[in-house]
Every structure is written in structure tokens, then in C-alpha cells.
Amino acid sequence: MKRKLLLFVIFTALLRNGNSQAPADLLLQWYQRAPLEKIWLHFDRDNYLAGETAWFKAYLYSDYQPDTISSVLYVELLNESSVILSRKVLPVMLASTYGQFELPDTLVTGMYLVRAYTPTMLNNGIDYVYKKKLFIFGKKPVKTEPAVTTHTILLDFFPEGGNLVSGFTNTIAYKATDEKGLPVNISGTINNSKGQEVASFSSYHDGMGMFELAPEAGEQYTARLNDAVPGKTYPLPVAAEKGVVFSIIPHPQGGFFEIHQRTDNPSLRAAYMIGQMQHHVLFRQELPAAKDETQGVLNTEKLNSGIMQVTVFTREGLPLAERLFFVNNKEYIRAAELRTDTLSFAEKGRNHFKILIKDTVQGSLSVSITDADYALSPQRPENIFSGLLLTADLRGYIHNPAWYLSSEDDSVKTAADLLMMTHGWRRFRWEELANKVKQPLPFADPSYITVTGRITLGGTNRGFSEKPLLALITAEGMRRNAQFITTDKQGNFKLDSLLFFGDARIFILDIRGKKSQYIDVKMTSDTLGRTYPVALPGPSFFAGASLPGQQQKMADDFDAIRKANGLMLEEITLKVKKKNPTDLLDEQYTRGAFSGTAEKTIDLVNSEEFATEANIFDYLQLRIPGLDVATDGNEYKLYYRQGPTISSLGPIPMTVYLNEIETDATVIATLPPSEIALVKLYSTFIGATGGGAGGAMAIYTRKGADITSSSRGDLITYQGFSVVKEFYVPDYKTDHSLLFKPDTRITLDWRPNIFVNNVNPVIPVSFYNSDRTKRFRVVVEGMTTSGKLISLEKIISK
């Protein structure tokens, strides 16, 4: 009779000193070098019209805590041909960031892919990045010859533990998908080489199921599906004569495991097993020698939730069998509640909701409120829970992953266990760890924006070595930033931990006074613009369509938007007054209060005049009557049409803007006219402090095609982080003219940047309805500083 030994494995005991083995030590070393990082993106919707804006909030997660590893996040939009249509580069602050995709109105109807990653998370594999599909309704695709559709069923078999061993009863899981990678429910029989039925099977959930088989040595088994093509069979893996059979089934305390092995092969004897989550070794359990069967309970009640990997090893550290097991203790949940204080489905009606969270909460949230009738599915197929605890650790497509965390029912737990058996874990292979820990990591965090370059004496290749310099940085949304740097012996310099958005200008100046020399600056690296190798998804990510009836509804909306924007008037000839080049240049460079009429506008792009002046102020002083450029050493001040004054303050200097950012005139004085595209002069300016009593001047540096080869070498142009826009919300209370305009918004409110730091916080949310919404979908997601996750989804109707 086979002897049995029952082992109770308590996971709260960590790996003890003296029991460590090579695999556990190697995993610890790898974790210390490359911790796991995960990403979740909360989008305001799951489908869009071409020409709209897709808004998102990103949460970064590592080791069950907010991610403090990465400073830069890349978010990309790809089409079915894997062409990147848009790439957003965003700074990560407090483990989160947010942005948007401006969807071109030229996009064709279809499924698109969003992927997101940080450089350092790629150290754990280029497959494990965030992926999400978005349905975009736009133009009709170009008609092609209809493809011949073949309804193919792909059937894969997964022996539990990784081995199919003859002489033992084995559990074999399977997964059936169609040609697009979507699940297909099947049933059928298992037959031996003589055609005799030895087992039968039927899908349990989403094309997955399992059956038991005691294979004989040398026998070949095949599966035959009911209602399939006659004669079509699917071969099972060939059974090995030696090996370990390892199985785990759900248990009230966690999982019940069994190990079966032969005693006649000492080199393949199971000696111990290791359980790990997130590259942390949770336990190492010795297994009894010379036992052919071992059983035990894996107590997971006090563990964090997520995917646990349990591996059986030989005494020499050779992995024999492996099993994934999903732990769901719900400890990650921070509960939230939605209360509707004022509910109005009237046209442009005002609504007042409240989000209530219990306990002391410190963290970040995002809220989206949309028209529920435009959603692709009644319930979102994925949320922050499933995204961070489930799909982030598994390869391949998972259908409706949020369902596996939706209930405590045994049927859901069984289906989740099938998911573990049919989706391979391969963040690392035990046998490869020894080599991985010795190799340098291929990717590093760029520490926000890092600019490196080499400085040479003007007109030469001689390094400007070991010299002090001043770097003046101007960019959208930031005041002038000055940093002192010193070159090395070769003239190299480095600026790191910079944070700015959009087009930036970095002026490198020699600040040695009379000893100052002309210098040339050349960049040697671009940390934000770098491309990374990221695995492309399978065809299943582009499969699927909208709900029945949704297509026509979205088609009507898309046509209405195009008509409103004048995009369907190809056959109509419109006669409009042609704008002159300076007006077009003004539209290209200016915004808000800076746009439109000024007292004087100077266009340097379209001018045929050759400028010989050394700096822009010398150039302007000869062309603007009444402009006085005053210098005091290296300091510059500008005055416009100011005579003697009895004010104790004296003449009031002009307010000067560089690219619509208030900037010291001394900085702008370093620019030659060849760097300038446009100059606008205002006698007063509403955007300046005190109304710009001394006048204002807006100077715009050239960008894009306007940059000429005459640019000086001490000026660097750099593309910073992607510009983040503000979500537009109509305010019908203050602007009554909006009441007479149609409101067809699908996203009614989007708030990506809510910070909470309170006891039992109550977050008020007010918004206006559109003209047609009859059901609201409210989604709240977030993460606390302690790593708790918030996910609330509710549809509100009359």
C-alpha cells in the first residue's frame, strides 16, 4: 500500500536561515535588482468616435504598494497593423499620472490597442506591459475582397504541474479558442490509438475545462469534438515514463496539494517546494524522502492576494513541476459608496453626487461619468482589481477578467483555478535566474528628463572642458528655470530630474564674465524620445465589436459631428477671405490673450530682410519707435514710450514673455533674431500683473519647419513631456448662451486628479446632464498610499 504523509504548510513563516537553497537566493537577488511593476489605466470610456478625446488616468503598482520606482510612463495607441498612431510620455508623480489621446477624425472604424509601460518594467519581460483595446467608430474601412472565413477551433492541453506522466492519474486542463483567439465552449471525448473512448470532457467556463486521464506508456491519445468536422482530432501531449505529478485543488484554507512520484529514480525525486508571489519567497517546505505520495494544505488565509507560483525541486535545485494558484483574500479592497443627492435626467439638468469612503484614507482617485447607453458592455470586463492582481501577471488574452474577482461562489473559484492552469506564467524561468542576475539590466529609469550633451568652443571640435555654465530652461507651463552645470574634461554635461511639458528651449551660457567665449552645444541623448522593444499582441486583442444596435447609434453621432465640423462638405465650394502669412503665423504660435490684434506685430519668418544684429533687442530697437533697451552690466530692461515721471517708482519696465511664459529680459537678450519667429507688442496687456502698465512684449522662438540652419549652437530645442489638457465641462449657470446650443456629450464628467487625505472622506461631484442621457454610468477607481485599491461601478437610471 502506498504510504501517505499529510503536511500542513503555513505560509506565514518566511524562509528560515539555514534552509535557503540556490533558487530562493537567486530569486531574492533578482527581486532586489528588478522589482515587478504593474500599470492600470482608467479610461473615461471603452469606445469613442473618431475626432473625440480619450481621457485616462494611470496607476502604478509594485509589491502591493504605490510604485516609487519609475518617473516616466509611455502610453501608446496602435492600430490593427501595429502602427503607433500616438505616443504620450508622461511624468509619474506619487505613483500616478494622467493624460489624453486626441483621436484623429480620419480613423476608420475598428478595434485599437492601447499599451503602457515604464522602461524599468521591461526588465522583467517585454510581454508584461499594460494592454487594453478601444473600439473607435470613424470612417468606413476601405473595401477589400472579403476574406474566406474558416471557423477553426484551436484546442490546447495543459497537464497540471506541467507533466503528463504514465502510471498515474493526471489532471489535464484545456482551453478552446476560435481563429481570433476568443473562447469557444466545446465538448468531446478522449480516445486511445485504437479509437476507444477513455474519457470525456465539456467546457466549464469560457472554453476552459479539465478531465482526468491515467495514460499508458507509449500510448498516443487524441481528442475528438462533438459536432465537429468528421475525422478532425487533436493530439494530447505524449506521456513521459518518469516525472512528478503535482496538483492543487481549492480548499477552505487555500489549496490542497498532492505530489505523486516513483521511488525508482533518485535523480528526479522531489526534495522541497517553494512558493513565491511578486518575486518574494513565501515559504520553502522540505518534502519527505522515499515517499511516493505527499499531500498537504497550503494555508493562504493571511497572504496578500494575487498569483502564487508553487514549484517542486530536486535536492540539486532542478525544477520538476510547477503550478499557479490564485489567492483572493479581498484585503486589497478599500470600499467606496456612491450617494445621489440630486438626480436629474432633464436636458442639461444639474446633478449632485457624493462618494463616501470609510476609514482614514490618503490617496488618489479618478471619476468618470458617462452615458451608459453608449457602453460596449453592461459591465466593464476589466477593472483596477483584475488589472493589477490578475492580467498583469499572465500572458495572452483573458476574456472578461473582472468576472474572476466578482464573487466568492465555488463556481467562480473553480473557473479562476482553470485560468491559472491554462495561462502560462513565464516572468522568469528558474533555470535562467543564475544567468539573469549576472547580466546588466537593459533598461533604467530616466529620472524624469535627463539631457546630456557636449560643449565645444564655437566653430571648433575642441571640448569646452571643466568650465562653469548656466543653463536657462523655458517651456510651456513653467517659469524660467536656471541651473548651474560644469563640464567634464571632454566638455560633456548632464542635466537631470527636469520636469517640463511641450517644446522647451535650453540656453547654455558661459558665465565667466569677460572671459566668456562663444560655444556650440550638441545633444548626445534623448531620454524621453527613446524607443523600446515591446511585444505586440495577438489577433484576439483586435477581435470583437459593439453591442447590437450600437453601430447605427455611433454612426449617426459620427456623421453629426463631421457635419458640425464641416467635414462632409467636400462637394461644396466655400469662398473665404485668404489670410496673409503673418495672420497664419499668429494663429500657429499664439493662444488665448496673446492671439489677435496687437499694437505692433513683427513677422521674422516671412520677412525678406536679413538681420545682422547680435541679439533680438538690438534688432527690435531699430524697428519699434519708442522702444528703449536699458542695460546695467548684464541686466536688461525694456521701456516703451515712457517719458519723465514723478512716480517714486520711476519708469515701469515692460513685461516680457518668451513663448507666452513670463521671462527675464536678460535671458531673451541671448537670442539672435534668427531664432525668433514672431514678436508682438502691447501698450497694455490684461494677462500681465497690474494690466501691464509698462506695456508687454511677446516673443516667440521658431519651431518645426520655421527653424533655420542659422541657429546658434548654444540653444537646445527639446520635446518635453506630453502636454496634458483640461477636460471641458459646460457651465450652464454662468454662461446662459450655452443653454441654446445642443449638448450631445457622451462623457459628462471626468476628474482624473482627486487627492484624498481625511477620515471617512466625502467627495462631492456635481455635473450637468447632456440633452439625451437617460442612464449614468459612474466609475470610481483609485489607490491609497498603503496600496489599497478602490473600484466602484454603478449605473444610475430613473
Side-chain angles (χ1 to χ4, degrees), residues 465-502:
S465 60
E466 298 181 318
K467 298 293 192 300
L469 299 164
L470 177 64
L472 300 171
I473 308 169
T474 56
E476 182 176 352
M478 68 175 290
R479 290 187 174 273
R480 177 171 58 92
N481 183 354
Q483 294 196 25
F484 292 97
I485 57 176
T486 302
T487 56
D488 63 13
K489 291 182 179 181
Q490 288 74 41
N492 299 314
F493 73 94
K494 180 179 180 181
L495 288 164
D496 60 9
S497 301
L498 303 176
L499 181 59
F500 53 81
F501 297 82

Side-chain angles (χ1 to χ4, degrees), residues 96-97 120 144 166 201-202 364 677 738 773:
S96 66
T97 187
T120 49
T144 59
S166 63
F201 59 90
S202 179
S364 174
L738 296 175
T773 301

Side-chain angles (χ1 to χ4, degrees), residues 3-24:
R3 290 176 295 174
K4 299 182 180 180
L5 180 65
L6 186 63
L7 300 175
F8 289 92
V9 182
I10 306 300
F11 279 16
T12 53
L14 298 178
L15 185 63
R16 296 189 296 271
N17 294 332
N19 284 335
S20 62
Q21 295 291 326

Side-chain angles (χ1 to χ4, degrees), residues 336-340 353-356 765 778 780 792 794 796:
E337 178 187 350
L338 182 68
R339 189 171 70 195
T340 56
F353 295 173
K354 287 179 181 176
I355 302 167
L356 296 83
V765 177
V778 182
V780 182
L792 170 64
K794 189 172 183 179
I796 301 172

Side-chain angles (χ1 to χ4, degrees), residues 305-375:
S305 298
I307 297 176
M308 178 175 63
Q309 178 188 22
V310 184
T311 309
V312 179
F313 293 91
T314 66
R315 182 62 59 190
E316 292 74 27
L318 176 68
L320 294 175
E322 187 173 277
R323 177 72 150 81
L324 301 185
F325 188 76
F326 188 64
V327 178
N328 187 13
N329 288 326
K330 305 287 187 179
E331 86 296 337
Y332 53 87
I333 297 176
R334 174 65 71 198
E337 178 187 350
L338 182 68
R339 189 171 70 195
T340 56
D341 291 343
T342 303
L343 180 63
S344 174
F345 289 102
E347 294 184 5
K348 302 179 177 67
R350 184 72 166 172
N351 290 269
H352 300 276
F353 295 173
K354 287 179 181 176
I355 302 167
L356 296 83
I357 308 176
K358 294 183 179 180
D359 211 341
T360 302
V361 180
Q362 183 180 38
S364 174
L365 289 82
S366 49
V367 178
S368 63
I369 303 176
T370 60
D371 188 331
D373 291 329
Y374 279 81

Side-chain angles (χ1 to χ4, degrees), residues 74 98 110 136 179 209 339 345-346 421 441 443 452 467 483 512 541 593 610 741:
Y74 293 86
Y98 56 95
I136 298 177
E179 64 278 0
R339 189 171 70 195
F345 289 102
M421 297 170 66
L441 294 176
F443 308 108
T452 61
K467 298 293 192 300
Q483 294 196 25
R512 295 177 300 151
F541 269 92
F610 181 74
K741 297 180 180 180

Side-chain angles (χ1 to χ4, degrees), residues 158-161 163-164 169-173 210-213 245-247 249 421:
F158 305 87
E160 187 172 11
N163 307 311
L164 183 62
T169 298
N170 295 249
T171 299
I172 303 174
M210 58 183 170
F211 58 88
E212 290 187 342
L213 179 67
V245 175
F246 179 40
S247 64
I249 61 174
M421 297 170 66

